[in-house]
């Protein structure tokens, strides 16, 4: 076995770093390789075909770096590309490798965060329009009443470091208000985009009442820990030197300047040309 076989973590841009932060805290011994497709972010408003094509390309790149397990730390890619990759591509591309997403682990536990049984989902247009959350939640908590709100401006504002501006507040308030106008009984809200923890405080500021804001990082980390325990055949392929490597399809200098905010500590990335 090659001694370096990191767990791959993928996002369209910086958002997946909020998940990687929690995963690396929960499972520090493994090696991790992050890939942000910053050159083509955001994915949120792109078609199914495009998100699938871009995501598959990035998954293949992570496989080439000897990742046996790849986490799509991106709701949009999880919603629009994961199933096709798992069912159509993996069997001939790499039958012993695995690609996992962030929607399933979140939907498996969301019923534990609500008392009113009315929940809200904030996400990109791609995630919301895919209906993936509705389908997955139905499997685990069919009693839940779900309202969704697409927030197409949020990722561009975050990626461009404008999320604390008055302009950002306008759009944050607008979508939070629209969600609660749809259903005032909501008492738990999924931050269904891995970028959103960065603006969690601003979202909270505009909530009409105290509500459980559910970020995915810890949930995904817990689920990965459990997955690795249940899949020793895959776990044994993951190398354990505590190494973290970062790749971006855009400029490493600008990636490093912004990544710290999302990851919580300094990051030095390399460019990956696709
Ligand atoms: N972090 C991605 C998600 O969770 C952002 C999507 C985008 O690139 O618009 O959906």
């Amino acid at each position: 076995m090659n001694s370096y076989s990191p767990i791959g973590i993928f996002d369209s841009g910086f958002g997946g770093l909020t998940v990687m932060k929690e995963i690396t805290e929960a499972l520090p011994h493994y090696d991790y390789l992050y890939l942000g497709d910053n050159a083509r972010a955001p994915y949120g408003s792109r078609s199914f075909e495009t998100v699938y094509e871009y995501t598959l390309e990035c998954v293949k790149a992570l496989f080439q770096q000897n990742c046996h397990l790849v986490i799509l730390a991106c709701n949009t890619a999880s919603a629009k590309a994961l199933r096709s990759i798992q069912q159509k591509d993996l069997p001939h591309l790499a039958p012993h490798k695995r690609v996992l997403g962030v929607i399933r682990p979140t939907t498996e536990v969301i019923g534990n965060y609500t008392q009113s049984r009315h929940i809200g989902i904030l996400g990109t247009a791609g995630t919301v329009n895919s209906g993936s959350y509705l389908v997955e939640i139905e499997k685990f908590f069919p009693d839940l009443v779900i309202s969704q709100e697409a927030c197409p401006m949020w990722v561009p504002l975050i990626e461009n470091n404008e999320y604390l501006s008055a302009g950002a507040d306008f759009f944050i308030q607008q979508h939070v208000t629209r969600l609660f106008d749809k259903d005032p009984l909501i008492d738990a809200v999924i931050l269904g985009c891995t970028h959103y923890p960065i603006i969690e405080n601003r979202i909270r500021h505009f909530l009409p009442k105290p509500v459980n804001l559910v970020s995915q990082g810890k949930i995904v980390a817990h689920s990965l820990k459990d997955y690795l325990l249940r899949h020793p055949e895959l776990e044994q392929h993951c190398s354990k030197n505590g190494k973290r490597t970062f790749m971006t399809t855009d400029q490493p200098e600008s990636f490093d300047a912004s990544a710290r905010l999302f990851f919580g500590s300094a990051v030095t990335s390399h460019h990956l040309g696709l």
Side-chain angles (χ1 to χ4, degrees), residues 66-233:
N66 209 34
C67 296
H68 279 73
L69 174 62
V70 172
I71 314 289
L72 303 186
C74 174
N75 287 269
T76 311
S78 300
K80 291 187 152 187
L82 180 61
R83 184 179 293 250
S84 299
I85 291 175
Q86 284 175 333
Q87 294 181 355
K88 201 161 68 90
D89 300 298
L90 269 188
H92 65 88
L93 204 64
H96 302 299
K97 297 192 174 187
R98 289 291 172 266
V99 181
L100 306 174
V102 289
I103 293 180
R104 179 72 179 248
T106 312
T107 59
E108 279 174 356
V109 297
I110 188 58
N112 308 333
Y113 289 83
T114 169
Q115 288 195 335
S116 70
R117 312 312 281 168
H118 290 243
I119 69 156
I121 296 165
L122 296 167
T124 66
T127 299
V128 165
N129 295 337
S130 75
S132 298
Y133 270 102
L134 307 183
V135 171
E136 289 296 320
I137 291 173
E138 172 71 21
K139 292 179 193 160
F140 302 107
F141 301 102
D143 62 313
L144 293 189
V145 178
I146 308 165
S147 301
Q148 303 194 94
E149 172 71 12
C151 316
M153 292 300 291
W154 289 9
V155 170
L157 286 165
I158 296 167
E159 286 274 321
N160 291 297
N161 210 14
E162 288 289 343
Y163 61 96
L164 289 175
S165 65
D169 268 1
F170 173 84
F171 287 108
I172 295 170
Q173 180 169 26
Q174 182 184 61
H175 291 299
V176 171
T177 304
R178 280 185 190 163
L179 180 67
F180 282 87
D181 282 349
K182 287 175 190 164
D183 183 356
L185 297 180
I186 290 170
D187 70 350
V189 174
I190 297 177
L191 300 183
C193 172
T194 53
H195 282 69
Y196 296 175
I198 296 299
I199 54 169
E200 186 171 335
N201 285 339
R202 299 315 296 155
I203 296 171
R204 201 176 289 284
H205 181 76
F206 293 113
L207 289 172
K209 59 181 184 183
V211 159
N212 265 338
L213 280 187
V214 183
S215 293
Q216 298 174 295
K218 284 194 170 52
I219 292 172
V220 173
H222 185 269
S223 165
L224 176 62
K225 201 170 184 172
D226 184 54
Y227 182 88
L228 291 169
L229 279 173
R230 286 185 289 109
H231 293 86
E233 75 292 349

